[in-house]
Amino acid sequence: EQFRSTAFANALAHREIGAWVFDEAHCLSKWGHDFRPDYLYVSRFIKARQKDKPSPIFCFTATAKPDVVEDIRNHFTKRLGVSLEVLAGGVRRDNLAYEVRAVNPQAKYPEVLRLLQEALREEGGAIVFCARQKTVEELAAFLKEAGLECGYFHGGMLPTEKRSVQEAFLTGELR
């Protein structure tokens, strides 16, 4: 999201770009569920900095539907003359489990607590996703009060806070 930043452009002007790598590439598409308008400047930015053939371009996403993938491919073909090859790994992830349970609103936090206590009896970790930052903080407070060593992580946090929570999770301090 820094492609329109003068400071970012100046920093890259003095570097050799070996490759352009975009994670969460669905954000590059107007049809993506997390579209960010600043990403429209990606190809313009690349073209302005690499007059000849641009360095290789890699776009990664686990959530793009076929029309979003085509939109991204068309964008780079039309704007830069670059044809992106699609390498689809599928959506199956053997290391993740996903389950939907109907729970009334009053029982939601206690049910999350019960499931975590059951799943984390011996070792391992868990991540609970919430739709809102406020809910993330409220649920973490509830779980801490119940005796679980947990933290929270969301986009509204400072980078140092995020790093601290992530490191604590990776080392097992927070499960």
Side-chain angles (χ1 to χ4, degrees):
E1 294 164 356
Q2 299 291 320
F3 291 108
R4 293 197 296 173
S5 161
T6 305
F8 181 74
N10 289 340
L12 287 186
H14 305 293
R15 290 175 172 76
E16 182 178 336
I17 307 298
W20 298 94
V21 180
F22 301 98
D23 193 16
E24 304 298 341
H26 56 270
C27 298
L28 296 169
S29 170
K30 62 186 171 198
W31 306 114
H33 72 273
D34 197 16
F35 172 63
R36 299 179 187 153
D38 280 350
Y39 282 22
L40 291 173
Y41 294 92
V42 167
S43 58
R44 190 180 309 168
F45 187 90
I46 293 171
K47 192 172 198 167
R49 274 136 197 89
Q50 297 190 297
K51 303 293 184 207
D52 299 327
K53 183 180 176 187
S55 295
I57 298 170
F58 300 92
C59 298
F60 297 94
T61 178
T63 59
K65 294 181 180 177
D67 57 333
V68 172
V69 172
E70 265 321 291
D71 188 43
I72 295 167
R73 293 182 75 215
N74 289 338
H75 174 86
F76 285 106
T77 299
K78 181 179 174 184
R79 304 281 174 95
L80 297 173
V82 173
S83 178
L84 299 180
E85 181 180 344
V86 175
L87 303 172
V91 296
R92 183 181 170 96
R93 301 292 182 265
D94 293 331
N95 62 331
L96 298 176
Y98 181 79
E99 184 176 342
V100 177
R101 294 177 183 229
V103 179
N104 69 46
Q106 297 80 15
K108 191 177 288 186
Y109 288 8
E111 180 66 2
V112 170
L113 173 62
R114 186 189 69 72
L115 290 169
L116 288 172
Q117 287 172 329
E118 184 180 298
L120 300 176
R121 282 192 183 131
E122 295 173 25
E123 60 182 50
I127 298 173
V128 179
F129 290 91
C130 301
R132 296 172 42 235
Q133 292 177 6
K134 182 180 177 187
T135 309
V136 168
E137 293 179 15
E138 289 173 352
L139 179 58
F142 174 83
L143 295 172
K144 280 183 182 180
E145 191 174 307
L148 290 184
E149 292 294 324
C150 73
Y152 62 85
F153 187 103
H154 60 65
M157 297 169 62
L158 296 172
T160 54
E161 294 172 319
K162 288 180 181 179
R163 195 172 313 113
S164 175
V165 171
Q166 185 175 18
E167 287 173 9
F169 182 73
L170 291 173
T171 62
E173 181 184 333
L174 298 176
R175 294 181 62 204

